[in-house]
Amino acid sequence: MVLISQRIFLETIKKYCLAHKIAIEIRSGGWLVIMTRDGQRRLAIGYDLGLNSAVAHQVANDKAACAEALAAAGVSVIPHTLFLGAKLSKHIPGSDSFDAMLRLLEQHPQGLVVKPNEGTSGELVVRVSTRPQLERAAARILAAYPSLAISPYVEIEDEVRVVLLDERALIVYGKTRPTITGDGTHSLRELARRAVAAEQLNTATEDFSAAELEVILPAGERRILNWRHNLDAGAEPVLLADGEARDACVALAIKAAKAVGIRFASVDVVRANGRWQVLEVNSGVKMEALGKRHPDLVEAAYQAALDEVFA
């Protein structure tokens, strides 16, 4: 795996090591970092600095297991149900049951969200409301991943990410989905091209059919482009001001981190049906999109984590 060397995560590690006289080796195109000082050898891989235990890391990366662990600890969480692909399902009878998936769809007529049970950046996260859609989504995900998770679709009013280090909130920011306003002249597709980066256009507009994208929006009509709040789908990070909402999100995120036993993580908290719930916990703390707007803040967060790595 080759990554661009300008990743803020990697650049921050390089700056930190230089400032603290730590020898650094960058391997695998920047995916693996080896840091050595006074006989101490520390590793960073992906967006993981190594502060979390193996169990906490694995639970956080397993969406269904994480949801169950949080629910068992009394944390308000969006439920996720695990389904296994052919290679794993033989070990747990019924874990590949499409009938069980259909029953979930019947229980939630507003729809379901189907996603890889382990995955990041919103890849292959699909909203379904019919049997054919569910069949296609499950087949597509299980062709690429060993398992999938299904959660009920809920209308998310707000989504907030809380970056925590040892139960201390380092950064709290919301994710604002791209919105367009009709002018009576341009099509939805043309307006979307102005609203999001070219590389995000397909992802940001995938909720619309080809015909819908060619519709001319009436002047003044506003549309949210994507039901997802993923930054890779065009959403923008916005720092959350002090107040009741921020306090509620931080308190819930800390409760979730304690339940999982994780030290350094980002916790996604959503407001749906008027209450805050945990959507997921991320063991790898990726802040590239936020770093484009607030590089000093992101660097400070990673540096605080690195201080703990070499404490």
Side-chain angles (χ1 to χ4, degrees):
M1 180 178 295
V2 178
L3 301 178
I4 59 172
S5 61
Q6 282 72 32
R7 281 192 307 150
I8 193 168
F9 177 79
L10 183 56
E11 290 303 304
T12 301
I13 293 177
K14 289 161 66 176
K15 289 180 184 178
Y16 184 91
C17 289
L18 180 63
H20 292 80
K21 296 182 172 57
I22 299 169
I24 181 172
E25 297 178 61
I26 299 172
R27 303 292 184 89
S28 302
W31 192 245
L32 172 66
V33 181
I34 303 169
M35 299 169 283
T36 309
R37 183 179 69 182
D38 299 332
Q40 285 187 316
R41 191 166 182 264
R42 299 289 184 263
L43 303 178
I45 187 166
Y47 287 92
D48 193 329
L49 287 170
L51 285 174
N52 302 321
S53 72
V55 170
H57 172 79
Q58 190 164 344
V59 170
N61 284 348
D62 185 313
K63 293 179 175 61
C66 188
E68 289 197 26
L70 295 179
V75 179
S76 182
V77 61
I78 301 290
H80 287 68
T81 303
L82 174 68
F83 291 91
L84 301 178
K87 289 184 180 180
L88 298 178
S89 60
K90 59 186 177 183
H91 302 296
I92 306 178
S95 59
D96 61 345
S97 172
F98 187 70
D99 287 340
M101 296 185 195
L102 285 176
R103 285 195 292 273
L104 282 175
L105 187 58
E106 292 170 0
Q107 294 166 13
H108 301 282
Q110 74 276 23
L112 302 172
V113 176
V114 188
K115 64 186 75 170
N117 189 49
E118 297 184 23
T120 59
S121 302
E123 184 179 9
L124 288 180
V125 177
V126 184
R127 178 185 174 186
V128 304
S129 56
T130 66
R131 175 174 180 147
Q133 290 174 341
L134 179 57
E135 289 176 336
R136 287 194 297 270
R140 187 180 175 197
I141 292 170
L142 292 177
Y145 292 88
S147 61
L148 61 81
I150 296 180
S151 61
Y153 171 76
V154 294
E155 288 281 354
I156 294 177
E157 299 152 31
D158 296 291
E159 182 169 328
V160 172
R161 174 162 289 182
V162 182
V163 178
L164 293 174
L165 174 62
D166 292 331
E167 300 177 23
R168 175 166 59 97
L170 301 179
I171 304 176
V172 184
Y173 65 93
K175 302 176 184 179
T176 302
R177 291 174 291 176
T179 302
I180 57 174
T181 302
D183 58 8
T185 302
H186 294 91
S187 68
L188 192 153
R189 187 192 304 276
E190 291 170 323
L191 295 171
R193 284 198 183 108
R194 300 177 183 178
V196 298
E199 62 271 18
Q200 297 173 328
L201 184 62
N202 288 339
T203 304
T205 59
E206 65 184 8
D207 292 347
F208 301 96
S209 67
E212 288 173 324
L213 287 172
E214 300 309 323
V215 170
I216 305 297
L217 285 189
E221 181 174 319
R222 297 179 72 252
R223 291 276 188 93
I224 294 175
L225 284 182
N226 199 289
W227 64 273
R228 297 180 299 165
H229 286 72
N230 295 87
L231 300 178
D232 290 338
E236 293 287 343
V238 179
L239 296 179
L240 209 62
D242 290 341
E244 185 177 338
R246 188 184 191 279
D247 292 344
C249 291
V250 169
L252 184 56
I254 290 174
K255 190 175 180 182
K258 291 173 67 174
V260 175
I262 202 162
R263 294 186 62 192
F264 185 46
S266 61
V267 182
D268 288 337
V269 180
V270 298
R271 186 164 62 91
N273 300 319
R275 66 189 183 102
W276 291 102
Q277 302 171 74
V278 174
L279 179 62
E280 59 184 47
V281 178
N282 304 284
S283 179
V285 181
K286 179 181 178 182
M287 294 186 283
E288 298 302 316
L290 183 66
K292 293 176 182 177
R293 292 193 171 198
H294 303 283
D296 292 345
L297 192 62
V298 170
E299 287 188 6
Y302 284 138
Q303 287 170 356
L306 285 163
D307 284 342
E308 292 301 316
V309 169
F310 287 95

